[in-house]
Every structure is written in structure tokens, then in C-alpha cells.
């Protein structure tokens, strides 16, 4: 048995402030995985160009995502923390994989259909081939595990298809990448209004950002929808109440959750108190991360150094894979 560590890869787009969904869906797993795996975590700046062609705020956003990852506990000395556009090998692999991806399957992707609806004036080929670029990012390091939230399940399935297709056509180079979460199920952090998931750009009042000030956190939590409370003991919870309990499970301790659960079941729950408790626990969770982020952002030299070191590590791994890829395809004359 070799004692080489298994390989992990994941990325986050620099399209805005990170939120609790990014934290609990992705970053929390990154932080745990860095101890046991060989990890490649990137800021997916090329992906962001598919929907955000205006690059005025890109640099600031890239720095912010890096700082937020580090503030949440990622250690740039333990992992390769890098910027996607600094690893040129990605573009080469993306090109080869594009020849193995079919228009029909790409057009059926749920995220493509969603984004085409949101940006009807910019349905570009990059948007269509987003899952191909994502596959290139992952298999460039021959990664096996991909810590992501539930919204990425379909993309991972496509990544497996593309990797398998390559292996069948040209010979075994890539392992099948699989979505990873420490607790069996992939996480979806719902938006505060219960209508979808928390996300960087949509519905900002229904998303809790790691950069939100204490008052803003309280305001957002206190606005969540409730009702007059249950009228019969042990009633099922409506979705929007289940949501509040779900959010509480992310940041509150068990006793607190059990207390409100019991109150709900015996019809004595006071939602005002519950939301106040949740708001306080959210503030306690987010405030220390927020202040660390601000300290890191103030040191541009440090961030540049992180990116340089990260790119060096990522490119070493990418170069080794690309030698195998060119050889397998037959581009070795
Ligand atoms: P966003 O959708 O906010 O733009 P990205 O597409 O950059 O975020 O995704 C970065 C990571 O965060 C992915 O692993 C994704 O699965 C995860 N993620 C994003 N939103 C949520 C959410 N609401 N719940 C769980 N995970 C999420």
C-alpha cells in the first residue's frame, strides 16, 4: 500500500461575498479535509467570466474570496490555494474535453438552463461548456473527492461522464471524481425566505453573508417568516418553520434546539424569542470570521504570496497530468 494521500479539489467563483451556504456546503469540508488529503482549492475566476464579463471588481472579489477562505480556517501552507487563471494547463485540458462533450447533454444541464434564463442577452458558449471547464479543473489534479454543496450534484455526474469517456477513448488516466461531504448527505443551506438556496447574487436580504455586520444579521433573521404557532401538539412543521430550525442546527447548540423543538411540540413556542436566539448565535458565528477577513484583506502582499505559492503547487500537479494526457491522446510525436 502506498501512503500517498488521496486528492481533493474544489472551487468557488469570485462573484461576490461568501455566505453561509458556501461555508456549510463547501468551506467547512475544505477545512477538515486539509488535514487528511492532498488538497487543491481554487478561486474560479474563469468561471465567473461566463456570467460576469465586467471585470472592474474582479481583483477585489478574488482577494475577498481568498481572504474569506483563509479566515474560515484554510491554511495556505497545507493546501494549494490558487487562482484558476494562473494554471494555464486548465485551458488545454478544457479544449481536449470539449471534443468529448456533446451539445445535447450540455444543453440539458439545469444550471445552464437557469443561467440562460437569467442572462438572456449573454448565452455564450462558455456558459454552455461550464461543466466541461469544471471537469478540467477537477481532473487536472486527478482528484477523487470534490467537496461541494447539493446544487453541484449534476455537474459532478457530468464530470464522471467526461472523465470516463476520456479513459475509454484514450486509456485510463483519470479517477472518477465524486462529490464529498463528511456527513453522508450533501448540504443545501436554504435562503431565509425559504424560496431557494442562499446565493452570492440573488436575493441579498435572504442570504447571510460572512461580511454582514451584526445589525444586518439581526435584521435579516428577525424578518424571516413565521405564523401564529402550532395549534395541536406534535404537528408537522411548515417549510418556513423547518427552515428556521434548519438554520439553528448550523450555529446553535443542541440544548437550545431541543428547547425550541419541545416548545413547538407542546404549542408554547414563541417565534420572536426563537429568532432572537438564532440572530444572536449567527452573530457569534459570523462576527469573528468577518473581523479576520478584514485583517487579511488589508495585507495585499500576503495575498499575492498565497496566490503565487498556490499556483506553483497547482501547476506542478497540472503539468504531471498533462504529460499523461498528451501521451494518451497520441500528441507525442
Ligand atoms: P454561489 O452559488 O453562491 O455563486 P458557487 O457557485 O461559487 O456559489 O459555489 C461555491 C460552493 O458553495 C459550491 O460547492 C456550492 O455547492 C456551494 N454552495 C453555494 N450555495 C450553497 C447553498 N445555499 N447551500 C450549500 N452549498 C452551497
Amino acid at each position: 500500500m502506498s501512503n500517498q494521500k488521496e486528492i481533493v479539489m474544489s472551487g468557488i467563483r469570485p462573484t461576490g461575498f461568501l455566505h453561509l451556504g458556501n461555508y456549510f456546503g463547501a468551506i467547512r469540508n475544505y477545512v477538515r479535509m486539509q488535514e487528511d488529503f492532498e488538497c487543491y482549492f481554487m478561486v474560479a475566476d474563469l468561471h465567473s467570466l461566463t456570467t460576469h464579463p465586467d471585470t472592474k471588481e474582479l481583483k477585489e472579489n478574488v482577494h475577498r474570496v481568498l481572504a474569506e477562505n483563509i479566515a474560515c480556517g484554510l491554511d495556505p501552507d497545507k493546501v494549494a490555494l490558487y487562482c484558476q487563471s494562473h494554471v494555464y494547463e486548465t485551458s488545454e485540458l478544457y479544449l481536449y474535453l470539449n471534443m468529448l462533450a456533446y451539445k445535447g447533454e450540455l444543453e440539458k444541464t439545469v444550471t445552464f438552463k437557469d443561467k440562460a434564463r437569467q442572462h438572456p442577452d449573454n448565452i455564450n458558449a462558455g456558459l454552455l461548456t461550464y461543466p466541461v471547464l469544471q471537469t478540467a479543473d477537477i481532473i487536472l489534479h486527478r482528484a477523487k473527492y470534490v467537496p461541494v454543496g447539493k446544487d453541484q450534484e449534476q455537474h459532478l455526474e457530468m464530470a464522471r461522464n467526461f472523465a470516463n469517456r476520456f479513459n475509454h477513448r484514450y486509456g485510463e488516466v483519470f479517477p472518477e471524481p465524486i462529490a464529498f461531504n463528511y456527513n453522508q448527505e450533501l448540504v443545501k443551506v436554504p435562503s431565509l425566505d425559504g424560496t431557494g438556496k442562499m446565493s452570492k447574487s440573488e436575493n441579498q436580504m435572504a442570504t447571510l453573508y460572512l461580511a454582514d455586520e451584526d445589525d444586518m444579521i439581526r435584521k435579516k433573521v428577525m424578518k424571516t417568516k413565521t405564523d401564529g404557532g402550532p395549534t395541536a401538539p406534535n404537528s408537522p412543521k411548515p417549510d418556513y418553520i423547518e427552515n428556521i430550525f434548519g438554520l439553528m442546527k448550523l450555529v446553535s447548540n443542541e440544548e437550545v434546539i431541543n428547547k425550541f423543538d419541545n416548545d413547538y411540540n407542546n404549542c408554547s413556542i414563541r417565534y420572536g424569542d426563537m429568532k432572537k436566539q438564532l440572530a444572536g448565535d449567527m452573530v457569534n458565528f459570523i462576527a469573528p470570521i468577518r473581523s479576520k477577513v478584514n485583517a487579511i484583506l488589508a495585507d495585499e502582499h500576503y495575498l499575492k504570496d498565497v496566490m503565487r505559492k498556490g499556483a506553483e503547487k497547482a501547476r506542478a500537479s497540472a503539468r504531471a497530468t498533462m504529460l499523461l494526457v498528451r501521451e494518451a491522446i497520441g500528441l507525442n510525436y
Side-chain angles (χ1 to χ4, degrees):
M1 273 268 289
S2 96
N3 51 14
Q4 251 192 330
K5 288 181 177 176
E6 289 182 300
I7 301 172
V8 169
M9 193 280 150
S10 194
I12 298 185
R13 291 179 305 155
T15 48
F17 294 82
L18 297 195
H19 51 81
L20 284 192
N22 299 131
Y23 181 84
F24 287 102
I27 301 174
R28 182 176 57 169
N29 283 317
Y30 299 179
V31 173
R32 273 182 75 178
M33 292 181 103
Q34 70 184 340
E35 306 300 334
D36 303 323
F37 297 88
E38 178 180 330
C39 294
Y40 297 88
F41 296 127
M42 68 168 198
V43 181
D45 54 345
L46 299 178
H47 279 290
S48 72
L49 294 177
T50 60
T51 50
H52 294 64
D54 183 347
T55 53
K56 266 201 305 292
E57 291 170 4
L58 189 56
K59 179 177 173 186
E60 203 179 304
N61 283 340
V62 166
H63 286 192
R64 172 162 286 281
V65 173
L66 282 170
E68 289 181 324
N69 272 286
I70 298 166
C72 289
L74 262 200
D75 179 348
D77 289 325
K78 288 190 183 146
V79 305
L81 180 58
Y82 63 100
C83 207
Q84 186 183 25
S85 63
H86 294 170
V87 180
Y88 314 127
E89 289 79 1
T90 312
S91 309
E92 185 186 350
L93 184 55
Y94 171 51
L95 184 136
Y96 301 143
L97 293 176
N98 268 322
M99 320 297 186
L100 296 170
Y102 300 112
K103 178 170 163 279
E105 64 187 335
L106 295 170
E107 279 172 346
K108 275 195 288 192
T109 317
V110 174
T111 49
F112 171 69
K113 289 197 280 193
D114 284 349
K115 284 178 183 162
R117 221 176 296 125
Q118 288 160 13
H119 308 268
D121 51 344
N122 183 21
I123 308 177
N124 59 75
L127 202 56
L128 182 68
T129 56
Y130 192 108
V132 184
L133 180 55
Q134 192 174 358
T135 305
D137 297 325
I138 297 166
I139 68 178
L140 187 60
H141 302 296
R142 283 168 281 161
K144 182 163 172 198
Y145 297 119
V146 188
V148 283
K150 193 162 174 55
D151 54 325
Q152 290 291 325
E153 229 167 10
Q154 190 183 25
H155 286 179
L156 257 292
E157 194 183 323
M158 295 176 82
R160 281 192 290 281
N161 288 340
F162 299 143
N164 282 333
R165 230 172 267 164
F166 183 100
N167 289 342
H168 286 144
R169 170 128 340 145
Y170 297 120
E172 202 71 23
V173 174
F174 300 113
E176 273 195 5
I178 49 177
F180 182 89
N181 189 288
Y182 274 102
N183 312 315
Q184 302 302 306
E185 284 192 19
L186 298 185
V187 173
K188 175 187 162 189
V189 179
S191 59
L192 292 169
D193 62 6
T195 59
K197 59 161 201 154
M198 286 195 186
S199 92
K200 292 201 207 85
S201 34
E202 294 154 52
N203 207 354
Q204 305 202 341
M205 281 311 286
T207 294
L208 288 168
Y209 296 95
L210 301 179
D212 278 345
E213 296 291 338
D214 296 354
D215 286 350
M216 181 55 87
I217 298 169
R218 289 199 190 92
K219 189 168 154 195
K220 287 179 179 176
V221 172
M222 295 313 288
K223 269 179 54 148
T224 51
K225 177 178 168 182
T226 51
D227 53 26
T231 47
N234 302 315
S235 313
K237 297 184 181 101
D239 286 353
Y240 48 91
I241 298 297
E242 195 69 77
N243 249 0
I244 301 179
F245 274 96
L247 290 164
M248 216 172 208
K249 283 189 188 125
L250 299 176
V251 292
S252 303
N253 68 41
E254 228 175 282
E255 278 161 44
V256 165
I257 300 163
N258 290 341
K259 173 206 167 338
F260 287 106
D261 212 34
N262 289 335
D263 289 354
Y264 181 88
N265 285 331
N266 60 34
C267 304
S268 65
I269 191 156
R270 293 162 60 140
Y271 287 131
D273 290 350
M274 183 179 184
K275 290 201 274 189
K276 241 182 243 155
Q277 173 78 41
L278 177 61
D281 291 341
M282 281 291 177
V283 166
N284 288 339
F285 180 79
I286 290 174
I289 298 178
R290 187 183 64 223
S291 57
K292 272 189 213 152
V293 171
N294 292 337
I296 297 167
L297 277 178
D299 191 348
E300 193 165 327
H301 284 296
Y302 168 73
L303 287 173
K304 285 233 156 89
D305 206 45
V306 166
M307 280 188 277
R308 187 186 47 74
K309 271 195 302 203
E312 265 168 31
K313 288 189 231 171
R315 292 200 68 198
S317 143
R319 271 195 297 269
T321 300
M322 291 315 292
L323 286 178
L324 299 176
V325 167
R326 288 184 214 113
E327 178 84 20
I329 297 179
L331 300 167
N332 53 350
Y333 23 86

